[in-house]
Amino acid sequence: MKKGDQQAFDTLVRKHYQNIYSYCIRRTGNQVMAADLTQDIFLKLVKAIYNYHFTGKFTNFLFTIAVNTCNDYCRKPQQRYEHVDSLQKSDNRPEPIDRVIQNEEAKGIKQKIDALPDMQKDAIILYYYHDMKAKDIAKVTGVNLATVKSRLKQGKDKLKKMFSEEDYFER
């Protein structure tokens, strides 16, 4: 890719696109914005590829770009737009109850994760949704391993408290 091989870039995008896109969705909560951010991340990768050295995992390098891009987006004041798909339904058939319950649970979990401070949110998302090890999260976020472990513990403790306050867990 550093030599300008378009096929290498295409292969790289195919391999990592879904993982980066799903991170962006979890981070922003908006599919359209996640798609835009994912495109932006891969454009930044093209510019930054010359700074990449084969000393660590490429995935860590790519996720560093993704985390920074999403953090930059989340720091900006947001304008709210209604997504076109939410304005009209394609049919009037009700969704199966299992799907409705699953969607509600996912929304509840997402709301709780969104309530965490950004540093803890990044650690939780990367650890649980992208199966990254704490040492890789440390490299991606630019902090030491102990800090990542602390953020994960604090985030988990806050989530546990939020869920227990709403009686999600049996006592």
Side-chain angles (χ1 to χ4, degrees):
M1 190 172 146
K2 280 186 173 184
K3 295 177 183 176
D5 184 353
Q6 181 65 37
Q7 188 174 2
F9 178 71
D10 292 344
T11 301
L12 209 147
V13 170
R14 269 188 253 110
K15 180 177 180 181
H16 296 283
Y17 187 91
Q18 189 59 42
N19 207 15
I20 296 299
Y21 174 70
S22 65
Y23 170 77
C24 292
I25 285 178
R26 289 182 182 104
R27 192 66 175 80
T28 65
N30 181 320
Q31 291 179 340
V32 174
M33 186 48 60
D36 288 347
L37 287 171
T38 302
Q39 294 299 318
D40 191 33
I41 289 162
F42 281 102
L43 287 174
K44 287 180 180 182
L45 172 64
V46 169
K47 294 176 185 174
I49 195 67
Y50 301 102
N51 298 327
Y52 175 68
H53 303 289
F54 298 102
T55 57
K57 294 179 183 176
F58 176 78
T59 304
N60 290 353
F61 180 72
L62 184 57
F63 264 104
T64 300
I65 296 170
V67 167
N68 291 334
T69 302
C70 288
N71 284 341
D72 290 346
Y73 167 76
C74 290
R75 281 188 203 110
K76 292 179 186 175
Q78 304 300 314
Q79 293 181 349
R80 296 285 177 194
Y81 297 102
E82 204 165 330
H83 193 273
V84 174
D85 291 341
S86 69
L87 298 176
Q88 56 185 337
K89 258 187 154 178
S90 60
D91 60 26
N92 292 328
R93 290 181 287 159
E95 295 182 13
I97 190 69
D98 292 337
R99 192 171 195 175
V100 171
I101 291 170
Q102 186 179 28
N103 286 342
E104 288 302 313
E105 288 173 354
K107 285 179 190 175
I109 292 169
K110 171 140 182 32
Q111 288 173 340
K112 302 292 186 268
I113 291 173
D114 284 346
L116 294 173
D118 285 344
M119 296 177 291
Q120 293 170 2
K121 187 187 314 183
D122 283 338
I124 294 288
I125 290 171
L126 292 171
Y127 187 81
Y128 287 102
Y129 290 99
H130 295 279
D131 296 323
M132 290 184 84
K133 294 179 175 137
K135 68 177 184 168
D136 293 331
I137 296 170
K139 289 177 185 174
V140 166
T141 58
V143 298
N144 65 42
L145 182 59
T147 302
V148 170
K149 289 180 178 180
S150 172
R151 289 176 182 176
L152 283 169
K153 182 177 180 351
Q154 290 172 354
K156 286 190 282 187
D157 290 346
K158 286 179 184 177
L159 288 170
K160 194 178 280 188
K161 184 179 181 203
M162 284 186 247
F163 283 110
S164 67
E165 287 173 354
E166 294 189 10
D167 294 323
Y168 276 96
F169 295 110
E170 294 180 25
R171 295 175 197 241

